[in-house]
PDB file of all heavy atoms in Angstrom:
ATOM      1  N   ASN A   1     100.912-212.123 -19.986  1.00 93.00           N
ATOM      2  CA  ASN A   1     101.511-211.795 -21.283  1.00 93.00           C
ATOM      3  C   ASN A   1     102.702-212.717 -21.506  1.00 93.00           C
ATOM      4  O   ASN A   1     103.831-212.389 -21.147  1.00 93.00           O
ATOM      5  CB  ASN A   1     101.935-210.325 -21.318  1.00 93.00           C
ATOM      6  CG  ASN A   1     102.409-209.909 -22.696  1.00 93.00           C
ATOM      7  OD1 ASN A   1     102.155-210.576 -23.684  1.00 93.00           O
ATOM      8  ND2 ASN A   1     103.110-208.794 -22.750  1.00 93.00           N
ATOM      9  N   ASN A   2     102.442-213.852 -22.121  1.00 95.00           N
ATOM     10  CA  ASN A   2     103.468-214.858 -22.367  1.00 95.00           C
ATOM     11  C   ASN A   2     104.280-214.468 -23.598  1.00 95.00           C
ATOM     12  O   ASN A   2     103.817-214.622 -24.723  1.00 95.00           O
ATOM     13  CB  ASN A   2     102.812-216.219 -22.558  1.00 95.00           C
ATOM     14  CG  ASN A   2     103.814-217.324 -22.752  1.00 95.00           C
ATOM     15  OD1 ASN A   2     105.006-217.092 -22.916  1.00 95.00           O
ATOM     16  ND2 ASN A   2     103.335-218.545 -22.736  1.00 95.00           N
ATOM     17  N   LEU A   3     105.480-213.966 -23.365  1.00 95.00           N
ATOM     18  CA  LEU A   3     106.359-213.571 -24.461  1.00 95.00           C
ATOM     19  C   LEU A   3     107.288-214.697 -24.895  1.00 95.00           C
ATOM     20  O   LEU A   3     108.011-214.553 -25.871  1.00 95.00           O
ATOM     21  CB  LEU A   3     107.200-212.354 -24.056  1.00 95.00           C
ATOM     22  CG  LEU A   3     106.432-211.074 -23.766  1.00 95.00           C
ATOM     23  CD1 LEU A   3     107.374-209.986 -23.258  1.00 95.00           C
ATOM     24  CD2 LEU A   3     105.690-210.606 -25.001  1.00 95.00           C
ATOM     25  N   SER A   4     107.267-215.817 -24.187  1.00 96.00           N
ATOM     26  CA  SER A   4     108.176-216.923 -24.473  1.00 96.00           C
ATOM     27  C   SER A   4     107.650-217.878 -25.538  1.00 96.00           C
ATOM     28  O   SER A   4     108.440-218.514 -26.238  1.00 96.00           O
ATOM     29  CB  SER A   4     108.447-217.725 -23.196  1.00 96.00           C
ATOM     30  OG  SER A   4     108.979-216.883 -22.201  1.00 96.00           O
ATOM     31  N   THR A   5     106.359-217.989 -25.654  1.00 94.00           N
ATOM     32  CA  THR A   5     105.759-218.949 -26.580  1.00 94.00           C
ATOM     33  C   THR A   5     105.590-218.344 -27.964  1.00 94.00           C
ATOM     34  O   THR A   5     105.010-217.263 -28.103  1.00 94.00           O
ATOM     35  CB  THR A   5     104.385-219.409 -26.044  1.00 94.00           C
ATOM     36  OG1 THR A   5     104.589-219.988 -24.759  1.00 94.00           O
ATOM     37  CG2 THR A   5     103.742-220.417 -26.972  1.00 94.00           C
ATOM     38  N   PRO A   6     106.099-219.023 -28.999  1.00 92.00           N
ATOM     39  CA  PRO A   6     105.887-218.535 -30.366  1.00 92.00           C
ATOM     40  C   PRO A   6     104.403-218.453 -30.705  1.00 92.00           C
ATOM     41  O   PRO A   6     103.598-219.276 -30.250  1.00 92.00           O
ATOM     42  CB  PRO A   6     106.578-219.604 -31.233  1.00 92.00           C
ATOM     43  CG  PRO A   6     107.553-220.277 -30.324  1.00 92.00           C
ATOM     44  CD  PRO A   6     106.910-220.244 -28.965  1.00 92.00           C
ATOM     45  N   ARG A   7     104.045-217.439 -31.480  1.00 89.00           N
ATOM     46  CA  ARG A   7     102.665-217.269 -31.962  1.00 89.00           C
ATOM     47  C   ARG A   7     102.730-217.102 -33.476  1.00 89.00           C
ATOM     48  O   ARG A   7     102.900-215.990 -33.986  1.00 89.00           O
ATOM     49  CB  ARG A   7     102.016-216.040 -31.321  1.00 89.00           C
ATOM     50  CG  ARG A   7     101.901-216.063 -29.801  1.00 89.00           C
ATOM     51  CD  ARG A   7     100.802-216.981 -29.286  1.00 89.00           C
ATOM     52  NE  ARG A   7      99.503-216.702 -29.854  1.00 89.00           N
ATOM     53  CZ  ARG A   7      98.583-215.920 -29.303  1.00 89.00           C
ATOM     54  NH1 ARG A   7      98.827-215.300 -28.160  1.00 89.00           N
ATOM     55  NH2 ARG A   7      97.422-215.742 -29.896  1.00 89.00           N
ATOM     56  N   VAL A   8     102.629-218.216 -34.173  1.00 87.00           N
ATOM     57  CA  VAL A   8     102.767-218.236 -35.624  1.00 87.00           C
ATOM     58  C   VAL A   8     101.775-217.290 -36.300  1.00 87.00           C
ATOM     59  O   VAL A   8     102.111-216.598 -37.256  1.00 87.00           O
ATOM     60  CB  VAL A   8     102.602-219.679 -36.160  1.00 87.00           C
ATOM     61  CG1 VAL A   8     102.695-219.719 -37.679  1.00 87.00           C
ATOM     62  CG2 VAL A   8     103.640-220.584 -35.531  1.00 87.00           C
ATOM     63  N   GLU A   9     100.552-217.231 -35.757  1.00 88.00           N
ATOM     64  CA  GLU A   9      99.515-216.397 -36.379  1.00 88.00           C
ATOM     65  C   GLU A   9      99.860-214.909 -36.343  1.00 88.00           C
ATOM     66  O   GLU A   9      99.326-214.119 -37.110  1.00 88.00           O
ATOM     67  CB  GLU A   9      98.147-216.637 -35.728  1.00 88.00           C
ATOM     68  CG  GLU A   9      98.030-216.201 -34.284  1.00 88.00           C
ATOM     69  CD  GLU A   9      98.468-217.227 -33.245  1.00 88.00           C
ATOM     70  OE1 GLU A   9      99.290-218.104 -33.552  1.00 88.00           O
ATOM     71  OE2 GLU A   9      97.994-217.139 -32.096  1.00 88.00           O
ATOM     72  N   PHE A  10     100.774-214.517 -35.442  1.00 78.00           N
ATOM     73  CA  PHE A  10     101.220-213.125 -35.371  1.00 78.00           C
ATOM     74  C   PHE A  10     102.655-212.958 -35.850  1.00 78.00           C
ATOM     75  O   PHE A  10     103.259-211.906 -35.656  1.00 78.00           O
ATOM     76  CB  PHE A  10     101.105-212.602 -33.931  1.00 78.00           C
ATOM     77  CG  PHE A  10      99.704-212.604 -33.408  1.00 78.00           C
ATOM     78  CD1 PHE A  10      99.367-213.358 -32.302  1.00 78.00           C
ATOM     79  CD2 PHE A  10      98.711-211.853 -34.021  1.00 78.00           C
ATOM     80  CE1 PHE A  10      98.072-213.370 -31.804  1.00 78.00           C
ATOM     81  CE2 PHE A  10      97.413-211.862 -33.541  1.00 78.00           C
ATOM     82  CZ  PHE A  10      97.092-212.619 -32.430  1.00 78.00           C
ATOM     83  N   ASN A  11     103.210-214.017 -36.448  1.00 77.00           N
ATOM     84  CA  ASN A  11     104.597-214.003 -36.907  1.00 77.00           C
ATOM     85  C   ASN A  11     105.538-213.641 -35.757  1.00 77.00           C
ATOM     86  O   ASN A  11     106.480-212.871 -35.918  1.00 77.00           O
ATOM     87  CB  ASN A  11     104.768-213.042 -38.091  1.00 77.00           C
ATOM     88  CG  ASN A  11     106.055-213.303 -38.845  1.00 77.00           C
ATOM     89  OD1 ASN A  11     106.597-214.410 -38.822  1.00 77.00           O
ATOM     90  ND2 ASN A  11     106.556-212.270 -39.502  1.00 77.00           N
ATOM     91  N   PHE A  12     105.225-214.197 -34.587  1.00 82.00           N
ATOM     92  CA  PHE A  12     106.002-213.917 -33.370  1.00 82.00           C
ATOM     93  C   PHE A  12     106.785-215.168 -32.981  1.00 82.00           C
ATOM     94  O   PHE A  12     106.187-216.210 -32.696  1.00 82.00           O
ATOM     95  CB  PHE A  12     105.062-213.494 -32.238  1.00 82.00           C
ATOM     96  CG  PHE A  12     105.752-213.229 -30.932  1.00 82.00           C
ATOM     97  CD1 PHE A  12     106.582-212.133 -30.778  1.00 82.00           C
ATOM     98  CD2 PHE A  12     105.584-214.089 -29.857  1.00 82.00           C
ATOM     99  CE1 PHE A  12     107.230-211.884 -29.572  1.00 82.00           C
ATOM    100  CE2 PHE A  12     106.214-213.854 -28.650  1.00 82.00           C
ATOM    101  CZ  PHE A  12     107.045-212.757 -28.513  1.00 82.00           C
ATOM    102  N   PRO A  13     108.119-215.078 -32.964  1.00 84.00           N
ATOM    103  CA  PRO A  13     108.945-216.268 -32.727  1.00 84.00           C
ATOM    104  C   PRO A  13     109.020-216.716 -31.274  1.00 84.00           C
ATOM    105  O   PRO A  13     109.509-217.809 -31.000  1.00 84.00           O
ATOM    106  CB  PRO A  13     110.324-215.811 -33.206  1.00 84.00           C
ATOM    107  CG  PRO A  13     110.343-214.343 -32.920  1.00 84.00           C
ATOM    108  CD  PRO A  13     108.922-213.881 -33.197  1.00 84.00           C
ATOM    109  N   GLY A  14     108.544-215.910 -30.352  1.00 93.00           N
ATOM    110  CA  GLY A  14     108.751-216.198 -28.930  1.00 93.00           C
ATOM    111  C   GLY A  14     110.125-215.690 -28.523  1.00 93.00           C
ATOM    112  O   GLY A  14     111.063-215.695 -29.325  1.00 93.00           O
ATOM    113  N   LEU A  15     110.223-215.214 -27.301  1.00 96.00           N
ATOM    114  CA  LEU A  15     111.474-214.622 -26.829  1.00 96.00           C
ATOM    115  C   LEU A  15     112.146-215.522 -25.802  1.00 96.00           C
ATOM    116  O   LEU A  15     111.484-216.304 -25.127  1.00 96.00           O
ATOM    117  CB  LEU A  15     111.205-213.253 -26.202  1.00 96.00           C
ATOM    118  CG  LEU A  15     110.553-212.211 -27.112  1.00 96.00           C
ATOM    119  CD1 LEU A  15     110.245-210.951 -26.323  1.00 96.00           C
ATOM    120  CD2 LEU A  15     111.430-211.901 -28.314  1.00 96.00           C
ATOM    121  N   GLN A  16     113.454-215.362 -25.704  1.00 96.00           N
ATOM    122  CA  GLN A  16     114.214-216.056 -24.680  1.00 96.00           C
ATOM    123  C   GLN A  16     115.209-215.074 -24.070  1.00 96.00           C
ATOM    124  O   GLN A  16     115.432-213.987 -24.613  1.00 96.00           O
ATOM    125  CB  GLN A  16     114.907-217.279 -25.257  1.00 96.00           C
ATOM    126  CG  GLN A  16     115.816-216.980 -26.431  1.00 96.00           C
ATOM    127  CD  GLN A  16     116.333-218.254 -27.066  1.00 96.00           C
ATOM    128  OE1 GLN A  16     116.641-219.207 -26.372  1.00 96.00           O
ATOM    129  NE2 GLN A  16     116.427-218.272 -28.374  1.00 96.00           N
ATOM    130  N   ALA A  17     115.772-215.457 -22.955  1.00 98.00           N
ATOM    131  CA  ALA A  17     116.756-214.595 -22.285  1.00 98.00           C
ATOM    132  C   ALA A  17     117.838-214.195 -23.284  1.00 98.00           C
ATOM    133  O   ALA A  17     118.310-215.011 -24.071  1.00 98.00           O
ATOM    134  CB  ALA A  17     117.355-215.319 -21.090  1.00 98.00           C
ATOM    135  N   GLY A  18     118.167-212.903 -23.265  1.00 97.00           N
ATOM    136  CA  GLY A  18     119.177-212.362 -24.169  1.00 97.00           C
ATOM    137  C   GLY A  18     118.596-211.647 -25.369  1.00 97.00           C
ATOM    138  O   GLY A  18     119.269-210.826 -25.985  1.00 97.00           O
ATOM    139  N   ASP A  19     117.339-211.945 -25.727  1.00 96.00           N
ATOM    140  CA  ASP A  19     116.698-211.255 -26.845  1.00 96.00           C
ATOM    141  C   ASP A  19     116.386-209.816 -26.450  1.00 96.00           C
ATOM    142  O   ASP A  19     116.075-209.526 -25.299  1.00 96.00           O
ATOM    143  CB  ASP A  19     115.382-211.947 -27.234  1.00 96.00           C
ATOM    144  CG  ASP A  19     115.586-213.262 -27.946  1.00 96.00           C
ATOM    145  OD1 ASP A  19     116.686-213.492 -28.487  1.00 96.00           O
ATOM    146  OD2 ASP A  19     114.637-214.067 -27.960  1.00 96.00           O
ATOM    147  N   LYS A  20     116.444-208.927 -27.425  1.00 97.00           N
ATOM    148  CA  LYS A  20     116.074-207.530 -27.221  1.00 97.00           C
ATOM    149  C   LYS A  20     114.647-207.344 -27.720  1.00 97.00           C
ATOM    150  O   LYS A  20     114.273-207.887 -28.754  1.00 97.00           O
ATOM    151  CB  LYS A  20     117.026-206.616 -27.981  1.00 97.00           C
ATOM    152  CG  LYS A  20     118.456-206.730 -27.518  1.00 97.00           C
ATOM    153  CD  LYS A  20     119.385-205.972 -28.436  1.00 97.00           C
ATOM    154  CE  LYS A  20     120.823-206.305 -28.116  1.00 97.00           C
ATOM    155  NZ  LYS A  20     121.703-205.945 -29.216  1.00 97.00           N
ATOM    156  N   TRP A  21     113.869-206.547 -26.970  1.00 96.00           N
ATOM    157  CA  TRP A  21     112.446-206.383 -27.303  1.00 96.00           C
ATOM    158  C   TRP A  21     111.959-205.030 -26.814  1.00 96.00           C
ATOM    159  O   TRP A  21     112.420-204.524 -25.796  1.00 96.00           O
ATOM    160  CB  TRP A  21     111.645-207.500 -26.641  1.00 96.00           C
ATOM    161  CG  TRP A  21     110.248-207.638 -27.141  1.00 96.00           C
ATOM    162  CD1 TRP A  21     109.102-207.395 -26.436  1.00 96.00           C
ATOM    163  CD2 TRP A  21     109.826-208.066 -28.439  1.00 96.00           C
ATOM    164  NE1 TRP A  21     108.008-207.641 -27.215  1.00 96.00           N
ATOM    165  CE2 TRP A  21     108.424-208.058 -28.462  1.00 96.00           C
ATOM    166  CE3 TRP A  21     110.513-208.442 -29.601  1.00 96.00           C
ATOM    167  CZ2 TRP A  21     107.686-208.408 -29.583  1.00 96.00           C
ATOM    168  CZ3 TRP A  21     109.776-208.792 -30.712  1.00 96.00           C
ATOM    169  CH2 TRP A  21     108.392-208.780 -30.701  1.00 96.00           C
ATOM    170  N   CYS A  22     111.030-204.438 -27.520  1.00 96.00           N
ATOM    171  CA  CYS A  22     110.416-203.180 -27.108  1.00 96.00           C
ATOM    172  C   CYS A  22     109.234-203.485 -26.185  1.00 96.00           C
ATOM    173  O   CYS A  22     108.196-203.957 -26.633  1.00 96.00           O
ATOM    174  CB  CYS A  22     109.941-202.391 -28.324  1.00 96.00           C
ATOM    175  SG  CYS A  22     111.278-201.846 -29.400  1.00 96.00           S
ATOM    176  N   LEU A  23     109.435-203.229 -24.920  1.00 97.00           N
ATOM    177  CA  LEU A  23     108.414-203.508 -23.919  1.00 97.00           C
ATOM    178  C   LEU A  23     107.457-202.340 -23.743  1.00 97.00           C
ATOM    179  O   LEU A  23     107.834-201.175 -23.940  1.00 97.00           O
ATOM    180  CB  LEU A  23     109.065-203.783 -22.561  1.00 97.00           C
ATOM    181  CG  LEU A  23     109.887-205.045 -22.441  1.00 97.00           C
ATOM    182  CD1 LEU A  23     110.508-205.119 -21.046  1.00 97.00           C
ATOM    183  CD2 LEU A  23     109.045-206.272 -22.718  1.00 97.00           C
ATOM    184  N   CYS A  24     106.250-202.674 -23.310  1.00 96.00           N
ATOM    185  CA  CYS A  24     105.299-201.637 -22.892  1.00 96.00           C
ATOM    186  C   CYS A  24     105.870-200.957 -21.652  1.00 96.00           C
ATOM    187  O   CYS A  24     106.329-201.630 -20.721  1.00 96.00           O
ATOM    188  CB  CYS A  24     103.953-202.248 -22.562  1.00 96.00           C
ATOM    189  SG  CYS A  24     103.101-202.957 -23.973  1.00 96.00           S
ATOM    190  N   ALA A  25     105.831-199.659 -21.653  1.00 98.00           N
ATOM    191  CA  ALA A  25     106.426-198.899 -20.551  1.00 98.00           C
ATOM    192  C   ALA A  25     105.785-199.253 -19.206  1.00 98.00           C
ATOM    193  O   ALA A  25     106.485-199.398 -18.200  1.00 98.00           O
ATOM    194  CB  ALA A  25     106.309-197.400 -20.824  1.00 98.00           C
ATOM    195  N   ARG A  26     104.489-199.425 -19.168  1.00 97.00           N
ATOM    196  CA  ARG A  26     103.824-199.752 -17.901  1.00 97.00           C
ATOM    197  C   ARG A  26     104.222-201.133 -17.382  1.00 97.00           C
ATOM    198  O   ARG A  26     104.369-201.322 -16.181  1.00 97.00           O
ATOM    199  CB  ARG A  26     102.309-199.656 -18.042  1.00 97.00           C
ATOM    200  CG  ARG A  26     101.842-198.222 -18.224  1.00 97.00           C
ATOM    201  CD  ARG A  26     100.336-198.076 -18.091  1.00 97.00           C
ATOM    202  NE  ARG A  26      99.806-196.872 -18.669  1.00 97.00           N
ATOM    203  CZ  ARG A  26     100.113-195.624 -18.332  1.00 97.00           C
ATOM    204  NH1 ARG A  26     100.997-195.416 -17.398  1.00 97.00           N
ATOM    205  NH2 ARG A  26      99.566-194.589 -18.924  1.00 97.00           N
ATOM    206  N   ARG A  27     104.382-202.109 -18.264  1.00 97.00           N
ATOM    207  CA  ARG A  27     104.811-203.439 -17.818  1.00 97.00           C
ATOM    208  C   ARG A  27     106.238-203.383 -17.263  1.00 97.00           C
ATOM    209  O   ARG A  27     106.550-203.997 -16.259  1.00 97.00           O
ATOM    210  CB  ARG A  27     104.706-204.456 -18.964  1.00 97.00           C
ATOM    211  CG  ARG A  27     105.205-205.874 -18.638  1.00 97.00           C
ATOM    212  CD  ARG A  27     104.615-206.501 -17.365  1.00 97.00           C
ATOM    213  NE  ARG A  27     103.199-206.393 -17.222  1.00 97.00           N
ATOM    214  CZ  ARG A  27     102.284-207.260 -17.657  1.00 97.00           C
ATOM    215  NH1 ARG A  27     102.664-208.344 -18.278  1.00 97.00           N
ATOM    216  NH2 ARG A  27     100.999-207.038 -17.457  1.00 97.00           N
TER     217      ARG A  27
END
C-alpha cells in the first residue's frame, strides 16, 4: 500500500512524513 506516490486518478496527492491521514485500523 504505497501512500507516498500521488495517484491523480483518485485525486490522491501522495503523503509524506508529517501529513495526517486516516489509516486502516488493521494496518
Side-chain angles (χ1 to χ4, degrees):
N1 187 17
N2 183 351
L3 296 175
S4 302
T5 301
R7 299 285 305 266
V8 178
E9 66 273 25
F10 298 119
N11 197 25
F12 178 69
L15 301 175
Q16 56 187 321
D19 287 340
K20 298 171 191 162
W21 193 247
C22 295
L23 293 177
C24 293
R26 291 191 199 300
R27 177 52 47 90

